[in-house]
Amino acid sequence: MRHGLEISCGGASVTVSDLVALGELAERAGWDGVFLEDYLIHHAGDDPPTWDPWLVLAAVAGRTDRVRLGTTVTALPRRRPAKLAREVLTLDHLSGGRAGVAVGVGDPADRGLAAFGEPTDVKTRAAMLDEGLDLLVGLLGGERVTHRGTHYRAEAVALRPAPVQSPRVPVWVGGSAQAGAVLRRAAPTASCPTS
């Protein structure tokens, strides 16, 4: 069994240097992974400091050698799959193949959705997740991807360099409200080893 440490991406007294130090400390303490929440606006408090998880993970990658690095659940409907794929592939190279990404529809209480005009309807976000997941998985494998969907488009594009991990960077699907939907989404990504 492996053990990962989930770290908040923000809060009233959380500094970005604290987050990087916690990542370093987690490796020294023997944890197997360091995973950050992914919010634009942290869920606790009024306008709390909130840090970008991918930038923090990049800093942690430069100061660690062993721990896996990723997010607990990134709301894929809030992200552009191609941009997220580029960030994850960069972290994969910075960390020597220790990156992973967990995706889902997003926290229903995420203030960063409505505040920036993102879809809040769960059905719309679920459709965006399904479509975005197909695109993300293809891009994280270094494949040339063509995708013409309702929400996203890609025209015979491959992101280079290819991932360090083979066959691609691991993608985990998270969620809690509807276990059946999570399992259905996770099944196509299961062919990738996570170690």
Side-chain angles (χ1 to χ4, degrees):
M1 179 179 292
R2 295 185 181 147
H3 298 86
L5 180 63
E6 177 183 349
I7 302 174
S8 174
C9 65
S13 60
V14 177
T15 68
V16 70
S17 57
D18 289 341
L19 294 177
V20 175
L22 282 171
E24 290 178 90
L25 184 59
E27 181 169 275
R28 286 197 310 267
W31 289 91
D32 299 305
V34 172
F35 303 96
L36 269 69
E37 296 174 334
D38 189 349
Y39 288 96
L40 289 173
I41 301 170
H42 193 262
H43 53 81
D46 292 327
D47 302 324
T50 307
W51 308 105
D52 181 271
W54 299 103
L55 290 173
V56 174
L57 291 167
V60 173
R63 296 177 185 207
T64 58
D65 299 309
R66 186 187 49 77
V67 290
R68 290 207 60 81
L69 302 167
T71 55
T72 50
V73 176
T74 290
L76 189 56
R78 191 187 69 216
R79 303 284 218 130
R80 290 306 225 178
K83 175 64 172 144
L84 180 60
R86 172 54 65 217
E87 292 166 348
V88 174
L89 286 168
T90 299
L91 182 63
D92 190 49
H93 281 266
L94 284 171
S95 68
R98 295 181 285 134
V101 61
V103 296
V105 296
D107 183 345
D110 184 348
R111 297 183 299 180
L113 295 171
F116 293 105
E118 299 290 341
T120 57
D121 173 65
V122 174
K123 190 172 182 176
T124 301
R125 291 189 352 235
M128 293 173 77
L129 172 62
D130 288 341
E131 186 181 327
L133 188 57
D134 289 340
L135 182 55
L136 180 69
V137 167
L139 292 170
L140 289 177
E143 302 171 16
R144 187 161 303 283
V145 176
T146 296
H147 178 89
R148 294 180 189 101
T150 303
H151 304 284
Y152 309 109
R153 186 179 183 100
E155 293 295 334
V157 62
L159 297 182
R160 298 287 183 253
V164 172
Q165 299 174 78
S166 178
R168 64 171 161 74
V169 174
V171 177
W172 301 294
V173 179
S176 59
Q178 297 177 347
V182 171
L183 292 173
R184 179 184 51 78
R185 289 181 180 105
T189 69
S191 63
C192 185
T194 59
S195 56

